[in-house]
Amino acid sequence: MDDLSTALGLQWAPIHEVDSDMERPDGSTFPLKTRVVFSTDLPLAIELIEPSPGTPNVRRGDSAFHHLGYWSDDLVSEEQRLDELGMPCVYFRNDEAGLRRIMLNEGPYGILLEACNALTKRPGLEAYYPGAS
């Protein structure tokens, strides 16, 4: 955070603690305990994620670049679309109502693609939703 603040003049939202079980497409689960933070200088948001050894949330190759995030209204259809393109799901998380909340898929060049459900509320991140003012 400090390095990017100095280099780019960014400001940051409060750090968010994540302590949740994530699910793989085969039904197996794994715990994910990490911290994330978002830059507040919209319209582009940068998310920093603390690596979690033993999970997909670790450095990929020689780059610290991990994933590209984007919004979708239907993550189940999005999973099928990406799978047909040869970009299978790595893991996902459902919300309390059973709706898919986030999903990470293998993307091109070793980069993950994170589809975020625009219909699932994520308190504290409202400013990042499509159409937010």
Side-chain angles (χ1 to χ4, degrees):
M1 288 172 60
D2 290 341
D3 290 342
L4 290 174
S5 294
T6 300
L8 303 175
L10 297 175
Q11 297 193 30
W12 303 95
I15 294 172
H16 178 69
E17 303 276 339
V18 175
D19 188 358
S20 181
D21 286 334
M22 304 303 256
E23 189 170 349
R24 292 185 175 95
D26 67 6
S28 65
T29 61
F30 62 92
L32 181 63
K33 186 170 182 152
T34 188
R35 297 179 303 166
V36 301
V37 66
F38 290 87
S39 65
T40 58
D41 305 281
L42 298 174
L44 176 65
I46 295 175
E47 177 186 24
L48 300 181
I49 304 171
E50 185 175 61
S52 302
T55 76
N57 277 24
V58 292
R59 181 171 282 194
R60 299 176 61 81
D62 293 331
S63 173
F65 190 79
H66 186 263
H67 71 271
L68 291 171
Y70 63 99
W71 295 103
S72 174
D73 290 341
D74 185 346
L75 269 59
V76 173
S77 294
E78 186 65 0
E79 179 179 0
Q80 293 168 348
R81 184 184 76 79
L82 291 171
D83 192 55
E84 289 171 3
L85 294 172
M87 301 178 190
C89 180
V90 175
Y91 71 84
F92 61 89
R93 180 176 172 201
N94 291 333
D95 68 8
E96 300 78 28
L99 289 175
R100 183 120 345 143
R101 178 180 172 140
I102 64 165
M103 173 182 69
L104 269 82
N105 288 66
E106 289 289 347
Y109 314 110
I111 297 170
L112 293 174
L113 302 176
E114 180 184 14
C116 298
N117 191 336
L119 306 177
T120 299
K121 298 300 178 206
R122 297 175 74 184
L125 300 179
E126 294 85 359
Y128 301 101
Y129 277 70
S133 8

